[in-house]
Amino acid sequence: MKKICFLISAFILLISCNSGLNITVENPSDFDRLEMVEIPTEKLMNLSAGKAYVVVNQQGEIIPSQTTYDGKLIFQADIKAKESLFYIVKAGIPPTFPSKVYGRFITERKDDFAWENDRVAFRIYGPALIAVDGPSNGLDIWYKKTNDLIIDKWYKDDIAGVRSYHDDHGEGLDDYKVGRTLGAGMMAPFENETLTLNENFAGQEIFENGPLRTTFKLTYKDITVDGKTFGESRTFSIDAGSQLTKVTQEYGTRDTLTVAAGLVKRAKDDDAYSAYTENGTAAVIYEEPANEKAGKVYVGMVFPTGLKRVISDTYTIIHPKSKKEETHSHVLVITSYYPNQPITYYTGYGWERFGFPSLDSFQNYIGYFSKALEEPLIIKIM
């Protein structure tokens, strides 16, 4: 108790010697959280007419922060259950910190778009791949077991023939199979109980790229469902420290649309998935079949606004390039898309070789993530 009082007293002394706004961050939950604090910059305008800020923690250290494209000051809080932490926000140019997030349009590899943080990595296939392998609209995941950013390194070495990212050279590998599926959590129209998959993205735009958050938008060619044609786009963001990437799905339709977000299953009768709801927030987890090369991987989606139902779905296609018949299966989360109301959800994974030794450990993570959405951090500006 004396130590806590000393820290608070020292922080108050620091406040008295520095101009700035005093920020209190409280964790209302009964579990520890590593989470991004978000403060609208409009609440900081009395500090400066500019948009550059410095964040100081209660130990007097300047910590990494970022002013986002949509008008927020963000910084990461590692906060214990029921704990309060204290910060000062001042006007000023922050020092340069190593980025913990990254995303890039990979023109040298068939127009992929890849992004990552210090925990996980993702990829979506671009337009140049269609001529080679046909359309692929799903989300690919790269299994990482390092906090380092590896996208550029893996692509460079793979393209140069130095080492393939399909093999683990100590940092992880790409062993996830997407094909003509939704992969690890993409969304598609599901009218009349039928998935309508679009093609690879047609355009891309990066809004911000670190050090704590990367955000970008992918646009697609128009899609036709039941004789109606409309646009499609997805905005992704990823925060430092998270196992999940945020997805905001939008369709340019004036009609209500039944949609489904899915995780590809490896066999039609594979029931290695679970779904549950926590105070209105829904989640689905699928356990990838283990193999010697990659071990065990757990893929999960979280829906803050809930879902209507969860089903298994199987369909057969003729691959446009190989002309061979293929059968694909998903566990699908079914919900409704309403005009001018984008759907926001989260998708990602845990790997037994990097922090998630069991399915239970990943289920616990998804459970805490869902509860944190229900119980946001309490931020007070003084």
Side-chain angles (χ1 to χ4, degrees):
M1 180 60 71
K2 289 183 179 179
K3 184 177 180 182
I4 293 173
C5 292
F6 174 77
L7 287 175
I8 293 174
S9 298
F11 185 76
I12 292 172
L13 179 61
L14 181 65
I15 290 172
S16 66
C17 298
N18 293 272
S19 61
L21 288 178
N22 308 325
I23 310 294
T24 301
V25 179
E26 299 177 10
N27 178 5
S29 306
D30 57 1
F31 54 92
D32 299 348
R33 294 162 68 165
L34 176 64
E35 198 165 319
M36 207 64 69
V37 176
E38 297 185 346
I39 302 174
T41 54
E42 62 188 29
K43 296 185 177 181
L44 306 174
M45 293 307 292
N46 61 331
L47 287 178
S48 169
K51 293 185 178 180
Y53 305 98
V54 173
V55 180
V56 180
N57 65 16
Q58 63 191 38
Q59 285 77 39
E61 303 163 331
I62 297 176
I63 62 173
S65 61
Q66 178 179 336
T67 301
T68 66
Y69 82 101
D70 56 349
K72 299 171 185 173
L73 175 67
I74 63 172
F75 56 91
Q76 205 170 25
D78 189 352
I79 185 167
K80 297 186 181 301
K82 305 299 183 182
E83 185 181 35
S84 293
L85 296 178
F86 307 94
Y87 302 87
I88 299 172
V89 176
K90 302 186 291 184
I93 304 298
T96 299
F97 289 94
S99 186
K100 294 184 177 182
V101 294
Y102 181 63
R104 187 165 74 85
F105 184 37
I106 315 293
T107 55
E108 68 270 30
R109 216 305 297 197
K110 306 297 182 184
D111 294 345
D112 289 351
F113 200 105
W115 67 106
E116 64 178 318
N117 66 4
D118 50 339
R119 300 291 309 172
V120 290
F122 303 87
R123 168 171 66 171
I124 286 188
Y125 302 109
L129 189 64
I130 297 176
V132 178
D133 199 37
S136 184
N137 191 232
L139 177 63
D140 190 22
I141 52 179
W142 282 10
Y143 309 151
K144 284 179 60 172
K145 57 180 180 183
T146 174
N147 297 127
D148 296 337
L149 301 180
I150 49 79
I151 283 174
D152 283 347
K153 178 182 177 182
W154 285 17
Y155 272 112
K156 180 180 178 181
D157 288 349
D158 188 80
I159 292 170
V162 174
R163 56 179 62 87
S164 170
Y165 53 60
H166 293 291
D167 298 315
D168 188 349
H169 301 281
E171 296 174 322
L173 76 162
D174 171 23
D175 192 56
Y176 191 79
K177 306 299 187 296
V178 178
R180 193 63 173 130
T181 74
L182 296 171
M186 288 297 86
M187 181 172 282
F190 193 63
E191 291 288 285
N192 302 314
E193 302 293 297
T194 301
L195 275 177
T196 302
L197 300 181
N198 208 331
E199 294 188 354
N200 306 37
F201 70 86
Q204 53 81 33
E205 180 181 7
I206 297 177
F207 298 141
E208 58 194 343
N209 214 357
L212 297 176
R213 176 175 293 170
T214 287
T215 306
F216 62 95
K217 184 177 184 178
L218 302 181
T219 54
Y220 293 78
K221 74 169 193 176
D222 289 351
I223 187 170
T224 300
V225 181
D226 286 347
K228 298 177 180 179
T229 301
F230 45 86
E232 179 181 17
S233 68
R234 295 165 175 159
T235 299
F236 296 86
S237 69
I238 191 166
D239 285 352
S242 180
Q243 297 294 133
L244 308 180
T245 188
K246 183 179 180 181
V247 186
T248 301
Q249 181 83 23
E250 190 164 8
Y251 294 103
T253 176
R254 297 180 179 180
D255 302 309
T256 300
L257 185 67
T258 301
V259 295
L263 303 175
V264 61
K265 297 199 303 176
R266 302 309 175 185
K268 178 180 179 180
D269 57 352
D270 182 356
D271 292 324
Y273 67 88
S274 57
Y276 62 92
T277 298
E278 178 72 38
N279 296 325
T281 299
V284 176
I285 296 172
Y286 174 74
E287 182 178 359
E288 282 280 309
N291 62 56
E292 184 176 348
K293 192 173 186 179
K296 294 181 179 180
V297 176
Y298 316 105
V299 190
M301 299 186 291
V302 176
F303 298 83
T305 57
L307 51 84
K308 287 192 172 180
R309 55 194 173 106
V310 177
I311 66 169
S312 290
D313 179 68
T314 300
Y315 56 91
T316 300
I317 65 165
I318 302 298
H319 193 279
K321 293 297 180 181
S322 69
K323 305 303 180 183
K324 294 181 179 179
E325 184 177 276
E326 298 178 349
T327 298
H328 300 291
S329 295
H330 291 98
V331 51
L332 293 179
V333 171
I334 313 299
T335 189
S336 293
Y337 179 90
Y338 299 100
N340 301 315
Q341 295 184 33
I343 295 176
T344 295
Y345 64 101
Y346 301 82
T347 188
Y349 67 92
W351 189 21
E352 71 165 349
R353 297 176 184 174
F354 195 50
F356 294 91
S358 66
L359 176 61
D360 284 347
S361 63
F362 188 66
Q363 287 175 329
N364 287 338
Y365 177 87
I366 292 295
Y368 288 139
F369 187 95
S370 300
K371 289 179 181 178
L373 292 176
E374 296 284 343
E375 301 174 349
L377 296 173
I378 300 170
I379 301 169
K380 298 178 181 179
I381 302 175
M382 298 172 285

